[in-house]
Amino acid sequence: MTTTPSTSQPLTRRGVPVDPDLRILALSSFANRFGAGAVITTSALYFTRQVGFSAAEVAFAMSAAGIVGMLVQVPAGHLGDTRGPRRMLLLTLTGSALFSAPPVLARSPLALAVLLGVLALFERSASAIQQGVIAQIARGSKGVLFKAYLRAVTNTAIGLGAVCGGLALTVDRTEAYVAVFVLNAVFTGFAAWNTTRLPTSRPAPT
C-alpha cells in the first residue's frame, strides 16, 4: 500500500518562489505591472493638465481602450493556446513595450484613443495568454497557488508603481510625466526579455 506524503514542497522560501519558472514569471509580472501602476496614477492628470484635454475627452479615450481590452482577451487566449503561450506572451509583451510611451505624443482625443486602444490590445492579450503559460508551468496541480502568488506580486507592483507615479505628481512637470511613460516602456521591455527565459511551451492539440 502506498502512502501520500503529509507535506508537500512549499511554494516559496522567504517569499521567493521555489519553482524556477514561477520566479521568472513573477519577475516579469512585477516589472510589467510596476510601470503600469505609475502610469495609472499619472496619466489622467498629464493629459488634462499638461496636454490640455478635457476630462470628457480623456474619459472617452480610456473607455475606448477599455472596450478593446475586453474584446481581445478571449481571442488572445485562444491564439496563445494554438500558437504556443510562451511565444505569444513574448510577442504581446514586446508590443506592449513598443506602445507604452507613444500615448504621450497624442495631441487629439482620437489619436489618444487609438494609441491607448493599441496598447490595451497588447496588454490585455498578454494578461490572457499568461494564463496559458501558468497552466503549462504549474506542475503537480499548483495552478491555483501560482495564480494566487502572481496576483499578490501584481498588487504589490501596482502599489509601488503608484508611489513612483506620486513622485511625478509632486514634481508636476511635463518631463516628469513623460519619464513615467518611458519608465513603463523600459520595464515592460524587460518583462518581455525575461519571458525568453521560460521553457518553450507547446501549442494545445487541435
Side-chain angles (χ1 to χ4, degrees), residues 122-142:
F122 285 111
E123 284 186 338
R124 302 317 302 167
S125 294
S127 178
I129 292 168
Q130 180 174 279
Q131 306 307 310
V133 175
I134 295 172
Q136 293 205 358
I137 69 172
R139 304 174 183 88
S141 302
K142 290 186 176 181

Side-chain angles (χ1 to χ4, degrees), residues 49-164:
R49 297 178 60 171
Q50 304 296 323
V51 180
F53 293 156
S54 68
E57 289 171 334
V58 175
F60 159 75
M62 291 185 172
S63 298
I67 293 173
V68 172
M70 288 190 295
L71 294 177
V72 301
Q73 291 188 69
V74 173
H78 176 71
L79 187 63
D81 289 340
T82 56
R83 298 295 179 89
R86 173 188 174 275
R87 174 191 175 195
M88 297 310 301
L89 181 61
L90 173 60
L91 291 176
T92 51
L93 284 176
T94 301
S96 296
L98 293 175
F99 282 92
S100 289
V104 301
L105 303 176
R107 291 299 178 267
S108 72
L110 181 59
L112 180 60
V114 171
L115 290 172
L116 291 181
V118 174
L119 178 59
L121 184 150
F122 285 111
E123 284 186 338
R124 302 317 302 167
S125 294
S127 178
I129 292 168
Q130 180 174 279
Q131 306 307 310
V133 175
I134 295 172
Q136 293 205 358
I137 69 172
R139 304 174 183 88
S141 302
K142 290 186 176 181
V144 174
L145 294 176
F146 277 32
K147 289 180 181 181
Y149 182 84
L150 291 173
R151 173 57 61 184
V153 168
T154 295
N155 291 342
T156 302
I158 291 175
L160 294 176
V163 173
C164 180

Side-chain angles (χ1 to χ4, degrees), residues 140-200:
S141 302
K142 290 186 176 181
V144 174
L145 294 176
F146 277 32
K147 289 180 181 181
Y149 182 84
L150 291 173
R151 173 57 61 184
V153 168
T154 295
N155 291 342
T156 302
I158 291 175
L160 294 176
V163 173
C164 180
L167 297 177
L169 294 177
T170 302
V171 176
D172 197 26
R173 294 176 59 89
T174 299
E175 297 82 357
Y177 291 109
V178 171
V180 169
F181 283 85
V182 174
L183 179 72
N184 185 28
V186 171
F187 272 71
T188 307
F190 170 80
W193 168 83
N194 192 55
T195 301
T196 63
R197 300 169 56 208
L198 289 169
T200 302

